[in-house]
Amino acid sequence: QVQLVESGGGLVQAGGSLRLSCAPSGSIFRVGVMGWYRQAPGKQRELVARVTSGGSTNYADSVKGRFTISRDDAKNTVYLQMNSLKPEDTAVYYCNADIMYHGVVAGRGTQVTVSS
């Protein structure tokens, strides 16, 4: 069973930066769309950013210009560079990937807390 493992979360002051990473725990053949979602307390999970195998990206309006998603296909890893963080970015961030022969797989999440 393939799992996705996120890293890079933590506590940061408003205006600061964090870089999240996500990679599969085992060997996989091919990965399609990869993305990041987040869920704040009392709110529904929302899409933050996604990147296709061809490199096309899309972002939630709330993070455009501040966050950048990227992928390294040699490592099957997806990254989320988060700059100019705001307290409203506080949430658990989940990685998500469409993995060949495994379907859509989600990670367990990493906490991001932005203090004002």
Side-chain angles (χ1 to χ4, degrees), residues 59-78:
Y59 297 88
D61 288 342
S62 58
V63 307
K64 283 181 181 177
R66 301 188 298 122
F67 291 10
T68 302
I69 190 170
S70 61
R71 59 190 288 165
D72 182 340
D73 288 332
K75 300 178 181 179
N76 291 314
T77 299
V78 62

Side-chain angles (χ1 to χ4, degrees), residues 17-76:
S17 298
L18 285 173
R19 188 191 193 209
L20 306 183
S21 301
C22 171
S25 59
S27 298
I28 61 174
F29 181 65
R30 185 174 178 180
V31 183
V33 176
M34 306 181 82
W36 289 94
Y37 292 74
R38 67 185 181 187
Q39 187 166 18
K43 295 187 177 181
Q44 290 187 332
R45 190 172 298 190
E46 63 174 356
L47 173 68
V48 177
R50 61 195 293 269
V51 57
T52 69
S53 57
S56 297
T57 59
N58 60 288
Y59 297 88
D61 288 342
S62 58
V63 307
K64 283 181 181 177
R66 301 188 298 122
F67 291 10
T68 302
I69 190 170
S70 61
R71 59 190 288 165
D72 182 340
D73 288 332
K75 300 178 181 179
N76 291 314

Side-chain angles (χ1 to χ4, degrees), residues 3 7 9-10 19 23 33 46 51 63 67 73 79 85 91 93 97 100 103-104 112-113:
Q3 295 181 340
S7 61
R19 188 191 193 209
V33 176
E46 63 174 356
V51 57
V63 307
F67 291 10
D73 288 332
Y79 305 96
L85 282 161
Y93 284 70
M100 184 172 283
V104 177
V112 171
T113 302

